[in-house]
Each structure stands twice: as C-alpha cells, then as structure tokens.
Amino acid sequence: MSDKINVKSGDRGLVWVFAVDLEGGEAANFNRRNGEWPAQKALGAETLDPEHVEVFPVSDLEGVGLAGYLEDGMGVPADQLEDMRARLDAQSGWVMVVTSKALDGKAQTLTPRAPLRLIGSFSEERPAVSFKTLPSESAKGTVSGGSDKTDVPRQRGWLWAVVGVVALAIVLTLVLVAK
C-alpha cells in the first residue's frame, strides 16, 4: 500500500478505518500476539496506544453496520459518511478502527501495508465551545470566593474571647494550686 497518512502533533478527533485482510484467529490476534503488536508494525506507527485501537469482525455490527457504528459509536458526523455509507456497510471480514488518541498526540507518518487497507479517514464531531453565563444565582460571585470582609473580624474576636477565657482559667488554676 502506498498511502501515507501524515499526522500532525496535537491532531485530535480523527478516526481511520482499515480493512484487515486476515482470517479468523489470525485477525483476532492482530491487535496483540505473543507480546508483539502486528497492528503497529503494519500501520507503520512509531507510537500506538492499544486502548484506542479496535480490531473486530464487521459481523459484530449486525443491525448497526460499520457506518452506523462510526456515526453513533465514534461521533463521526452523518454528512462525512454520506458518500461512503454504502461502501462501509458492504464491508465484510475484519476491520481496524484507530483514533488519533492512539497516536498520543505525536507527529508521525503512518505507512499502512498488508494486511491493512485504508477504507476511510474521518473526524469526530466537536460541539461548539460556549461561554454563556450560568443561570444559577449560586454561580455568581467573585473569583476569590471569599465571604464579606465585615464577617471576618467578628469571627476572630469571638475566637480570641474564648481563648482568653480558657487562658485566664488556666492561670487562676495554677495560682491556686501553687498556694
């Protein structure tokens, strides 16, 4: 396979789908086998976190389909899948889904080769960031979160009064015991 995938440092929300041209047990062990990781080698990745790589038979997605899995399970917008939906749902055998999280934010060039075939690249939907004011009254206040400054001296004065009474009692007790 001559396709190269250039991943930039800090790329987020990307999803790559590969066909895995292996059968049964060999495909099932493609993600991990005897301490080695054939998937990383076949992908040509310097870094690959197995927590963000899935290898599974498409038949596991019966009733949902690969396009439905990408849309509902991976957050790929429907408009990205529109032109590929038929191809994705016609896919059989095993697939490998890799997210950009698997690459640990590091820039690298992936050079996928047999038994991998790139089916498609997608990006996860990201909701727009909103900085609206929170509706609750309890959300209002100051950054420091401190209370009204007039309350502080009164609280300290009460505390010092208690400390003074206790200290006076101790001194009186010592004086009486010493006589």
Side-chain angles (χ1 to χ4, degrees):
M1 172 181 270
S2 63
D3 293 330
K4 289 186 178 187
I5 302 169
N6 293 312
V7 181
K8 297 178 192 128
S9 174
D11 273 351
R12 300 282 183 263
L14 303 177
V15 179
W16 296 277
V17 181
F18 299 90
V20 180
D21 294 328
L22 296 172
E23 298 294 325
E26 195 175 15
N29 293 322
F30 186 64
N31 206 15
R32 281 274 185 215
R33 185 180 345 169
N34 300 330
E36 295 179 10
W37 197 4
Q40 182 175 356
K41 187 174 182 179
L43 193 55
E46 297 169 26
T47 304
L48 195 65
D49 182 349
E51 292 296 316
H52 302 285
V53 176
E54 296 180 78
V55 179
F56 57 89
V58 178
S59 61
D60 285 356
L61 301 175
E62 187 176 330
V64 175
L66 186 53
Y69 173 74
L70 292 171
E71 185 176 350
D72 297 334
M74 301 299 293
V76 175
D79 61 333
Q80 282 187 44
L81 299 168
E82 191 172 313
D83 294 339
M84 296 218 28
R85 191 170 294 276
R87 180 178 176 202
L88 289 166
D89 288 339
Q91 186 68 38
S92 61
W94 289 72
V95 293
M96 180 170 84
V97 178
V98 180
T99 67
S100 51
K101 287 181 183 179
L103 305 175
D104 203 26
K106 296 180 181 169
Q108 51 186 304
T109 300
L110 305 178
T111 54
R113 59 182 178 269
L116 297 178
R117 283 183 296 113
L118 180 64
I119 296 172
S121 300
F122 308 95
S123 59
E124 298 169 317
E125 189 169 38
R126 292 186 182 177
V129 177
S130 174
F131 295 102
K132 295 179 183 174
T133 305
L134 295 174
S136 171
E137 284 298 317
S138 65
K140 295 179 182 176
T142 63
V143 174
S144 66
S147 62
D148 188 353
K149 291 184 180 186
T150 59
D151 292 343
V152 176
R154 187 176 38 187
Q155 290 173 352
R156 285 186 187 155
W158 179 83
L159 180 63
W160 282 114
V162 170
V163 169
V165 170
V166 170
L168 183 60
I170 292 172
V171 169
L172 287 175
T173 303
L174 290 174
V175 169
L176 291 173
V177 171
K179 285 188 175 185

mmCIF file of all heavy atoms in Angstrom, residues 40 105 137:
data_model
loop_
_atom_site.group_PDB
_atom_site.id
_atom_site.type_symbol
_atom_site.label_atom_id
_atom_site.label_comp_id
_atom_site.label_asym_id
_atom_site.label_seq_id
_atom_site.Cartn_x
_atom_site.Cartn_y
_atom_site.Cartn_z
ATOM 1 N N GLN A 40 0.630 -2.402 14.988
ATOM 2 C CA GLN A 40 1.508 -1.236 14.993
ATOM 3 C C GLN A 40 2.520 -1.325 13.859
ATOM 4 O O GLN A 40 2.766 -0.340 13.156
ATOM 5 C CB GLN A 40 2.241 -1.106 16.336
ATOM 6 C CG GLN A 40 3.127 0.123 16.405
ATOM 7 C CD GLN A 40 3.763 0.335 17.764
ATOM 8 O OE1 GLN A 40 3.491 -0.406 18.705
ATOM 9 N NE2 GLN A 40 4.595 1.334 17.869
ATOM 10 N N GLY A 105 -0.798 12.105 20.466
ATOM 11 C CA GLY A 105 -0.522 13.497 20.153
ATOM 12 C C GLY A 105 0.815 13.747 19.489
ATOM 13 O O GLY A 105 1.266 14.885 19.404
ATOM 14 N N GLU A 137 -28.112 31.421 40.519
ATOM 15 C CA GLU A 137 -27.617 32.507 41.371
ATOM 16 C C GLU A 137 -26.360 32.074 42.113
ATOM 17 O O GLU A 137 -25.491 32.883 42.390
ATOM 18 C CB GLU A 137 -28.704 32.935 42.364
ATOM 19 C CG GLU A 137 -29.796 33.777 41.751
ATOM 20 C CD GLU A 137 -29.289 35.102 41.190
ATOM 21 O OE1 GLU A 137 -28.463 35.773 41.851
ATOM 22 O OE2 GLU A 137 -29.704 35.452 40.080
#
